[in-house]
């Protein structure tokens, strides 16, 4: 019998770490269950902040102390100290930005001041160095710390030293520096250590006080569940947000209109990915209608392919006219409307 990714991860957690370590208790639902969808303060494994849920985790460790849930403001006598989301995607031919898709699950814990852990079980693929960078920079600005790991011994070490705050903090800081070294090695190799080079290769425009990430998303990407484009869009959103954590972030979809956004807001308000895109602090979704000064012909050409997949002639059209938009946004001839 083939086990699902969740089952594999949960079995390994129980086999490796057990139910309790030095008074720190494990909450996990080994069998298929919807209990993890409940907020942590209501017996589940979902973390969030200020009414925004970031998704359920596979496991969390807690101590018997008072804690206020940042998602709903509820006070309980169980304080989570580690929130873990795991996957064996590295053994399932998943690579590239597919690995970003579950980044936000443990992020909810990080926003609550907890140590968030994204565990990618070792497999045939390698962890994308981008993930280490995303988590490292998130740790710079959020209340908690975010670790990306491929070995549960890191969690064991954290549990073993948790009751000594100095040692615990030093361990986390040292691990974060290791993560940065991995990220930076790739950044030097692929982008020559230059953010301008990164911008060219990663569909990004960097300004003094804001950054623009542009992508060929369409309304259908968010209404057709088979495309899973919402997951990819969220992953790319968090990558850009945390790489440029000190800037305002405009997420530009030049194939979409304000009317598309309004329709999605109305009809997809319970969709987890769309809700995150629309409610993440300092992230602003923008469309062709939000580009001040855009040429009418450019707008017309892009809207003619607004519902078409980006391949063939549609791909050529998108690239040609988006290139012109990008050039003029970079020069200042076009601007993003507030």
């Amino acid at each position: 019998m083939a086990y699902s990714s969740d089952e594999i991860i949960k079995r390994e957690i129980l086999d490796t770490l057990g139910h309790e370590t030095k008074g720190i208790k494990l909450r996990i639902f080994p069998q298929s269950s919807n209990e993890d969808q409940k907020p942590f303060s209501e017996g589940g494994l979902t973390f969030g902040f200020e009414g925004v849920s970031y998704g359920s985790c596979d496991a969390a460790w807690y101590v018997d102390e008072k804690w206020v849930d940042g998602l709903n403001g509820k006070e309980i006598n169980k304080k989570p100290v580690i929130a873990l989301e795991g996957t064996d995607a590295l053994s399932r031919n998943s690579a590239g930005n597919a690995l970003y898709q579950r980044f936000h699950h443990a992020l909810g814990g990080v926003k609550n001041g907890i140590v968030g852990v994204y565990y990618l079980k070792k497999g045939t693929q390698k962890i994308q160095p981008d993930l280490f960078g995303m988590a490292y920079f998130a740790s710079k600005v959020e209340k908690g710390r975010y670790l990306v790991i491929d070995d549960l011994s890191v969690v064991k070490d954290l549990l073993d030293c948790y009751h000594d705050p100095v040692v615990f903090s030093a361990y986390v800081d040292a691990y974060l520096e290791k993560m940065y070294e991995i990220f930076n090695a790739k950044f030097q190799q692929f982008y020559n250590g230059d953010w301008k080079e990164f911008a060219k290769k990663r569909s990004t425009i960097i300004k003094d006080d804001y950054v623009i990430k542009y992508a060929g998303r369409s309304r259908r990407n968010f209404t057709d569940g088979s495309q899973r484009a919402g997951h990819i869009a969220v992953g790319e959103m968090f990558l850009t947000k945390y790489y440029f954590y000190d800037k305002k972030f405009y997420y530009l979809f030049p194939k979409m209109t304000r009317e598309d956004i309004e329709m999605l807001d109305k009809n997809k308000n319970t969709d987890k990915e769309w809700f995150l895109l629309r409610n993440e602090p300092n992230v602003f979704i923008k469309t062709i209608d939000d580009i001040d000064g855009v040429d009418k012909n450019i707008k017309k050409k892009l809207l003619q392919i607004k519902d078409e997949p980006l391949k063939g002639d549609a791909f050529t059209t998108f690239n040609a006219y988006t290139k012109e938009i990008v050039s003029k946004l970079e020069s200042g001839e076009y601007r993003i409307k507030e």
Side-chain angles (χ1 to χ4, degrees), residues 4-21:
S4 69
S5 176
D6 277 355
E7 289 172 325
I8 290 170
I9 297 302
K10 291 174 181 179
R11 283 170 176 266
E12 185 182 11
I13 289 170
L14 287 168
D15 291 344
T16 305
L17 302 170
H19 286 277
E20 186 171 339
T21 302

Side-chain angles (χ1 to χ4, degrees), residues 201-213:
K201 293 181 177 180
R202 299 298 289 267
S203 304
T204 306
I205 301 168
I206 305 171
K207 294 288 189 176
D208 289 341
D209 56 353
Y210 65 90
V211 61
I212 302 169
K213 168 75 176 178

Side-chain angles (χ1 to χ4, degrees), residues 314-330:
F315 183 69
T316 301
T317 297
F318 177 79
N319 282 343
Y321 290 103
T322 300
K323 183 178 180 180
E324 188 168 347
I325 289 173
V326 169
S327 175
K328 292 185 177 181
L329 283 170
E330 289 176 334

Side-chain angles (χ1 to χ4, degrees), residues 181-199:
E181 289 172 6
I182 296 170
F183 156 76
N184 192 49
K186 179 193 174 180
F187 189 74
Q188 297 296 327
Q189 178 185 357
F190 281 76
Y191 310 114
N192 298 314
D194 187 346
W195 284 106
K196 291 181 180 178
E197 188 69 20
F198 171 90

Side-chain angles (χ1 to χ4, degrees), residues 201-236:
K201 293 181 177 180
R202 299 298 289 267
S203 304
T204 306
I205 301 168
I206 305 171
K207 294 288 189 176
D208 289 341
D209 56 353
Y210 65 90
V211 61
I212 302 169
K213 168 75 176 178
Y214 52 95
R217 301 285 169 233
S218 67
R219 184 167 71 177
R220 187 183 171 205
N221 289 159
F222 299 101
T223 56
D224 183 347
S226 67
Q227 298 195 16
R228 297 188 66 81
H231 294 78
I232 296 171
V234 168
E236 290 285 348

Side-chain angles (χ1 to χ4, degrees), residues 110-123:
V110 178
K111 285 178 176 277
N112 276 273
I114 301 165
V115 173
V117 174
Y118 187 12
Y119 169 52
L120 296 103
K121 182 178 173 65
K122 290 178 182 176

